[in-house]
Structure formats: C-alpha cells, structure tokens
Amino acid sequence: DVEEGVFGRVPNLIIFSLVGCLVMIGLIFKSVMIAVRGLVTIVFTLAVVYMAAHGIFQFGWLRAIGIPVGGTEGLFFMVPVTTFTIVLGLALDYDIFLLGRMTELRERGLPTLDAVADGVAQTGHVITCAGLMMAIAFGGMLLSDVPGMRQLSFIFTLGVLIDTFVVRTIVTPALTAALGEANWWPRQFKDSE
C-alpha cells in the first residue's frame, strides 16, 4: 500500500520538478533555449545515474566483474524517490552557477564562444572542488552495512561525479557552443566593438 501510494505520486513529482526547473531557468536567464538546454542536461544526469543504479543493484553488473556490490535485491523502493529531487537540485545548482558566469560574460560583450570558454575556465575549478567535496561526503555512506544507505550513497555520489566531470565540463559547454547565439533567444546582446 505504501509503495503504491509513493509510486502513484512519482509522475507528479517528476513533472512538477522538471517544469519548475524549466520555468525557473527561463526566467533567471530570460532565455527559452537556455532553459531547454538546462532541462536536457539535467535529465541526462538523472537518466545515467538511475540506469547505472538499476543495473548495479538489480542485475549485479559490478558482481559480474568481481566487485561485491549490488545483486538481485534491487533498489529499495524509497531510494529513487528520495534521491530524485536532491540529484536534480545539485545538477541545477552547478548549471546555474556555470551559466550565470557565461551570461555575465556575454552581457559584457564577449561573443558566445568566448563567453562559454571563459565561463568554464572561471568556474571549472570551483565546480570541480564542490563536486569532489560532495562526492567524498556522500561516498562515506557506501561503507554502511545498510543496503538502502549504500544505494542512496551510490546515487548521490555518481550523480555529483557525472554532473561535475561530464555534464558541466563537456556536455553543457559543447551544447552551448553549438547553439551559438540561439542560446539567448529571445534575448538580444550587443557585441563588443
């Protein structure tokens, strides 16, 4: 009964959270494209993390290579629900921090490609340090004897590491650079002379 009650509300939680992120990013940056790109990268992080967690804890992917983690017990039903909003929040936080700097630089007149490169250069070390600190803090729970705690720890740690080292350093800059001036639509910037 509890499981059905929890999972019956999960679609609402996901829709409300993602639509809220889309609207919030759009309003902060005054850009539809930045909001959509932000949503895509956040969903990417969530998808990778939950697919990995499912494979490891349901199918025992790590056991297959000799690491005694996971197995046939599956994820405890509250773990995905509990971790979703926290992983989403961490991804959103790093995204806003990086995009805030890129937008600042673009407002100063730098072309989009320069704003992307300089934004990553100026924020990369802070995002990396913050991500590593969070991964260390969350990683400590991996030593727990309680399977649910290990699952929480795995999802939080992997989420932070994927977002820090893949999404914010590669995916976000690549998508932002590829979209060029379309990133800022409908907003307009003056280029520096």
Side-chain angles (χ1 to χ4, degrees), residues 8 79 83 93 99 119 132 141 147 164 183:
V79 169
T83 57
D93 180 51
L99 286 167
L132 285 173
M141 293 186 298
T164 300
N183 278 298

Side-chain angles (χ1 to χ4, degrees), residues 28 31 41 48 61 68 88 105 123 129 163:
I28 289 171
S31 167
T41 57
V48 169
W61 288 352
L88 182 138
L105 294 168
T123 61
C129 287
D163 204 70

Side-chain angles (χ1 to χ4, degrees), residues 152-163:
L152 283 168
S153 176
F154 175 81
I155 289 172
F156 289 149
T157 304
L158 183 62
V160 166
L161 292 174
I162 292 288
D163 204 70

Side-chain angles (χ1 to χ4, degrees), residues 22-23 39 98 101 104-105 120 131 138 140 149 151 167-168 180 189:
L22 183 73
V23 170
L39 193 65
L98 174 60
R101 183 55 50 95
E104 246 177 59
L105 294 168
V120 171
F138 290 139
M149 290 296 286
Q151 292 171 2
V167 176
R168 300 304 147 219
F189 292 104

Side-chain angles (χ1 to χ4, degrees), residues 10 21 23 27 29 41 53 78 94 99 108 149 167 172-173 177 191:
V10 168
C21 287
V23 170
L27 291 173
F29 295 104
T41 57
M78 285 298 293
Y94 293 161
L99 286 167
R108 291 183 194 162
M149 290 296 286
V167 176
T172 294
D191 285 327

